[in-house]
Amino acid sequence: SAVISQKPSRDICQRGTSLTIQCQVDSQVTMMFWYRQQPGQSLTLIATANQGSEATYESGFVIDKFPISRPNLTFSTLTVSNMSPEDSSIYLCSVGRGVFQETQYFGPGTRLLVL
Amino acid sequence: SQQGEEDPQALSIQEGENATMNCSYKTSINNLQWYRQNSGRGLVHLILIRSNEREKHSGRLRVTLDTSKKSSSLLITASRAADTASYFCATAANTGTASKLTFGTGTRLQVTL
């Protein structure tokens, strides 16, 4: 298993501003994943973050809007830039375990409300 | 979108009853997983079933997989109030370097006393 923490746990932000979410893992991991969960919806993968390389973004998500850092094997940040009310969601990071990172362990999530 | 569908969207049962949730998906998979989410918090992994498996058990959980129908079911037996949560299936296609997960739409389970 893995212990994952996220900061902040929740925030209320004004439109046009940016928020950086931190994800800390208690052990070294190769890949970290960032998901978005819009109100009442399922999870959608934003990007996969490898240490030492650029993050890989899924269709519909771009680096300018969601820049990601991965400075070491236990930490990553996701920034939600130039926020609008449509960005109000829960943002979750996860890490994989197993040969193909099959089982994922999730952080508690960051609940973001944009006014 | 490759997102799978789950049904029912919501399920309300009494404690002690069994709960069955179904998941359908669209593409070939390496494995299918079930996760639980309590009150909009982080997800907890419940069980993983590989594409060459048909049934798997873990405690009160029973998962089946029918790759010909691209469907899976999760059975929770003898439900408890603490089982109240949202349940999501997730499929992994295995890209070779990482198994990106595609989540289903989820089933909200309410277990009442």
Side-chain angles (χ1 to χ4, degrees):
Chain A
S1 64
V3 176
I4 305 169
S5 60
Q6 285 186 236
K7 290 182 182 179
S9 59
R10 59 178 61 226
D11 208 343
I12 300 174
C13 301
Q14 297 297 319
R15 70 171 66 209
T17 63
S18 298
L19 176 72
T20 296
I21 301 168
Q22 300 178 8
C23 180
Q24 180 76 51
V25 188
D26 67 340
S27 59
Q28 294 184 342
V29 294
T30 305
M31 289 187 173
M32 297 178 76
F33 303 89
W34 286 98
Y35 291 86
R36 180 177 73 183
Q37 185 177 27
Q38 294 176 302
Q41 302 297 315
S42 185
L43 280 74
T44 301
L45 181 64
I46 298 172
T48 302
N50 277 349
Q51 194 271 335
S53 63
E54 294 287 330
T56 302
Y57 290 82
E58 297 300 303
S59 175
F61 298 96
V62 295
I63 187 171
D64 290 346
K65 176 67 176 177
F66 297 101
I68 288 172
S69 78
R70 185 76 205 275
N72 58 54
L73 290 172
T74 63
F75 187 79
S76 178
T77 67
L78 170 76
T79 298
V80 186
S81 303
N82 188 24
M83 289 184 285
S84 67
E86 291 71 33
D87 294 319
S88 297
S89 297
I90 300 173
Y91 292 86
L92 302 108
C93 66
S94 73
V95 301
R97 283 283 185 268
V99 176
F100 296 111
Q101 317 283 296
E102 292 173 325
T103 301
Q104 292 193 14
Y105 293 87
F106 285 81
T110 295
R111 190 182 294 269
L112 171 63
L113 177 63
V114 184
L115 302 177
Chain B
S1 169
Q2 301 298 309
Q3 190 173 63
E5 297 289 328
E6 291 184 55
D7 77 272
Q9 290 187 339
L11 179 62
S12 183
I13 59 174
Q14 290 192 320
E15 201 171 49
E17 294 181 335
N18 296 340
T20 299
M21 299 160 232
N22 302 295
C23 167
S24 61
Y25 57 91
K26 299 177 183 177
T27 61
S28 296
I29 62 171
N30 176 274
N31 65 69
L32 185 143
Q33 306 176 36
W34 286 89
Y35 289 81
R36 183 185 71 216
Q37 184 179 38
N38 290 83
S39 301
R41 298 189 60 79
L43 276 71
V44 174
H45 179 262
L46 296 176
I47 195 167
L48 179 153
I49 186 166
R50 300 188 185 282
S51 59
N52 61 352
E53 298 176 308
R54 292 297 168 258
E55 187 171 312
K56 203 163 184 178
H57 297 254
S58 177
R60 294 185 295 114
L61 305 180
R62 172 178 170 255
V63 170
T64 62
L65 178 64
D66 187 334
T67 53
S68 66
K69 295 181 179 178
K70 291 186 168 58
S71 67
S72 174
S73 67
L74 171 67
L75 168 68
I76 303 174
T77 60
S79 63
R80 306 166 181 167
D83 294 328
T84 295
S86 291
Y87 291 81
F88 295 91
C89 66
T91 54
N94 187 3
T95 62
T97 56
S99 281
K100 296 190 301 185
L101 294 182
T102 301
F103 282 83
T105 51
T107 294
R108 293 187 308 279
L109 174 65
Q110 177 77 43
V111 182
T112 57
L113 297 173

